Amino acid sequence: MENTEDFFVLKVFKAASGTAAAPYLKDCALSYSEEGAFIHADTAEKKSYLRAVQAAGKNISSAGYRRVELADREGFKWTEEDAMSFFLGFRSIKNGADIVYPQDLDTESFRTVRSIITWLRDTIDEPASALNPVSYIVYLNSLNAITGNALTVKAYTGDRLQSENLTGLMTVGGGSDNPPCLYELDYNPTGDENAPVFAALVGKGITFDTGGYSLKPSELMRSMHTDMGGSATVAASLALLAVSGFDRRVKAWLCCAENMVSGKAMRVGDIISYPNGVSVVIDNTDAEGRLVLADGLIRAGNSGAEYIIDAATLTGAAKVALGRDYNAAMSLNADLSSEFVRSAASVNEYAWPLPFDKFHLGLVSSQLADITNSASGDGIAGATSAASFLSRFVPSEKWNSWLHIDLAASYRKTPNDIYQIGAMGHGARSVAAFIRKLAGRR
């Protein structure tokens, strides 16, 4: 250990692989000496090994250490994968992640990726008093700065919402004093404004969700400043593509609103109509995310993109199915969701497909409008019915190239063995890897 004027700097070493971490990592195999901390983990199984490294980072931070140095020793050098896993576990909302990396590892590209994932986690963790649909532009500008301003950012709010026919945003955001906003992000490395769009991303950006008149209980409302996690995830994935030098055009739409209660808020029983001709009856004002995503999906469908990907903290059903470790992938093209799962694994993130077939598309039918925003009945799968709703805003000829991601692994209300409380930063690297794979690149 080294002492500075303000902090002890704990040196952290990788140790011999003969001593494995305990099963399920309830107790990380971690030892301390005068030299520093030693992580004992079996390298034979990559996933378990990286979880052990991440658990060590989380435990060292929980023990009160605020600054650490990842130190190489003979035969045990840190890799980018090791260092990323340690960073994910060590970072906390209160103290960040003050980590010194080995000189040969701390490259500009690695620092930039860490900065983007840090931005993602910090932005999701921002309280709603600071981050609202309009102030979001400040955070997006800071992300763009990390990319060297490789993105163009347009904002649609106020009267533009009406003129652009952004029905969902106006409906959901109408009850808040903070007006809704649609952000359009464009990464266009070709410089040609007529260049085709390879992939179109859409993210749910509910900066605070009371549930509206279908009011959430206080306990469930505590983490609702994170309901914009889908928008931050797709923005971060776009930034990752930009800094990696991806050579195709990708656009993103962030659908941002607050779901509040007031005399102007939407009511149960309201019926709204979208510019694609689909009418929706509001049966639950707490099923608002799909309403704003519809605006973005219509634009994505009109962009001519080869692939459409949306990401959202959309349903509690996905968390019930998969916990908070895996993101849910759903597509009417099973090969597409399977490829996303493989892409997530390639960057050491977790995803799993949930069933979604064409016969599910009738789950949201209504006798009052074309569809309902909240299907009910015995045996209704909540995550699947939400995807069914979204499908009505994706052109049918694009169904086989559309992926829906329900971000169950976006945020932790309580710590587990490898994460502290707060945003996990989980999903952006998966989306970026997936898009690179679709383009035939790694």
Side-chain angles (χ1 to χ4, degrees), residues 4-24:
T4 68
E5 293 183 1
D6 300 312
F7 294 99
F8 283 103
V9 180
L10 177 71
K11 287 191 174 182
V12 183
F13 303 90
K14 293 162 59 178
S17 60
T19 305
Y24 310 113

Side-chain angles (χ1 to χ4, degrees), residues 1-12 34 60 63-69 90 98-100:
M1 302 179 190
E2 295 180 7
N3 191 6
T4 68
E5 293 183 1
D6 300 312
F7 294 99
F8 283 103
V9 180
L10 177 71
K11 287 191 174 182
V12 183
E34 290 185 359
I60 289 170
Y65 294 100
R66 297 291 172 259
R67 181 178 296 168
V68 299
E69 176 186 348
F90 184 75
D98 193 349
I99 303 172
V100 179

Side-chain angles (χ1 to χ4, degrees), residues 194-200 249 251 253 296-308 395 397-398 401:
N194 296 315
V197 177
F198 178 68
R249 188 178 189 181
K251 296 186 74 171
W253 287 270
L297 287 169
I298 290 173
R299 287 185 167 246
N302 290 336
S303 72
E306 291 186 45
Y307 295 93
I308 299 174
E397 64 270 19
K398 288 293 183 181
S401 56

Side-chain angles (χ1 to χ4, degrees), residues 181-253:
C181 189
L182 178 78
Y183 291 99
E184 179 181 294
L185 280 57
D186 190 356
Y187 169 63
N188 186 4
T190 70
D192 178 3
E193 63 180 15
N194 296 315
V197 177
F198 178 68
L201 312 179
V202 180
K204 174 186 171 184
I206 301 298
T207 59
F208 195 75
D209 181 18
T210 67
Y213 280 106
S214 303
L215 193 67
K216 294 179 183 288
S218 293
E219 179 60 28
L220 294 183
M221 219 183 289
R222 284 178 53 206
S223 61
M224 284 301 103
H225 62 288
T226 73
D227 209 18
M228 39 62 67
S231 63
T233 296
V234 300
S237 67
L238 192 62
L240 289 170
L241 289 170
V243 301
S244 73
F246 189 67
D247 62 357
R248 302 199 188 189
R249 188 178 189 181
V250 182
K251 296 186 74 171
W253 287 270

Side-chain angles (χ1 to χ4, degrees), residues 14-21 40-50 53 76 82:
K14 293 162 59 178
S17 60
T19 305
H40 304 270
D42 190 346
T43 59
E45 209 282 308
K46 183 178 179 181
K47 182 184 288 188
S48 296
Y49 166 70
L50 292 176
V53 172
F76 299 98
D82 302 335

Side-chain angles (χ1 to χ4, degrees), residues 357-369:
D357 290 287
K358 287 186 178 178
F359 69 82
H360 287 127
L361 300 183
L363 289 176
V364 292
S365 61
S366 170
Q367 295 187 19
L368 299 177

Side-chain angles (χ1 to χ4, degrees), residues 239-312:
L240 289 170
L241 289 170
V243 301
S244 73
F246 189 67
D247 62 357
R248 302 199 188 189
R249 188 178 189 181
V250 182
K251 296 186 74 171
W253 287 270
L254 316 184
C255 309
C256 303
E258 280 188 330
N259 187 19
M260 304 293 279
V261 177
S262 76
K264 296 180 180 179
M266 62 177 167
R267 295 149 295 208
V268 174
D270 285 354
I271 296 177
I272 60 176
S273 294
Y274 286 86
N276 68 342
V278 175
S279 62
V280 178
V281 59
I282 309 300
D283 281 326
N284 186 338
T285 64
D286 196 21
E288 84 299 328
R290 63 202 69 182
L291 298 175
V292 300
L293 284 171
D295 287 334
L297 287 169
I298 290 173
R299 287 185 167 246
N302 290 336
S303 72
E306 291 186 45
Y307 295 93
I308 299 174
I309 303 161
D310 74 80

